[in-house]
Amino acid sequence: MQRKEGRALGIAGGILAIIAGAYMIAVTVGGLRIGGGVIMYGVPSVFGISDPEIIMSGFCLLIMIFGAMGIAGGIYAEKNQQLAGILMIIPAIAGFALLSVMWAPIGAMLILGGVLTLSSGK
């Protein structure tokens, strides 16, 4: 029974992560301005790259990849519990390094889904 909850949490968390990544790309790179205001964001240089649009688009793509990993973990929950649990827990922890507070609900869903899936293993 725990595998079903783990599967649902993994898929739901992955879908939310992909939606969050796509929204962040639309805001930072696409120029979507909510309320007509200007959004200023400060991004430190990463690997010598100081252009904030390149860095933020890279972060957003990583978030979307983490979401795909969560969905894959949810799909594998019925077949291979260890692989599914790892595919949910690793992106959940890595997502906190990129988004911290915004990642909290998504990370909680993925961690809980991974733990439930791992604990239901044989």
Side-chain angles (χ1 to χ4, degrees), residues 2-86:
Q2 291 177 344
R3 279 184 258 158
K4 290 182 182 179
E5 286 90 3
R7 179 181 181 155
L9 286 169
I11 292 174
I15 289 172
L16 284 176
I18 290 175
I19 290 170
Y23 176 75
M24 288 177 57
I25 284 179
V27 169
T28 58
V29 178
L32 176 68
R33 303 292 182 235
I34 295 161
V38 175
I39 296 175
M40 299 297 291
Y41 49 90
V43 179
S45 73
V46 177
F47 300 121
I49 301 170
S50 61
D51 186 19
E53 288 185 3
I54 293 174
I55 294 170
M56 288 303 293
S57 62
F59 282 176
C60 295
L61 290 176
L62 279 174
I63 291 164
M64 293 171 75
I65 290 170
F66 291 159
M69 287 175 67
I71 292 172
I75 291 171
Y76 281 116
E78 297 290 328
K79 298 175 186 169
N80 188 350
Q81 288 82 22
Q82 289 182 340
L83 176 65
I86 290 170

Side-chain angles (χ1 to χ4, degrees), residues 85-103:
I86 290 170
L87 280 174
M88 286 186 248
I89 290 174
I90 289 177
I93 293 170
F96 280 112
L98 294 178
L99 289 181
S100 67
V101 175
M102 185 179 162
W103 190 257

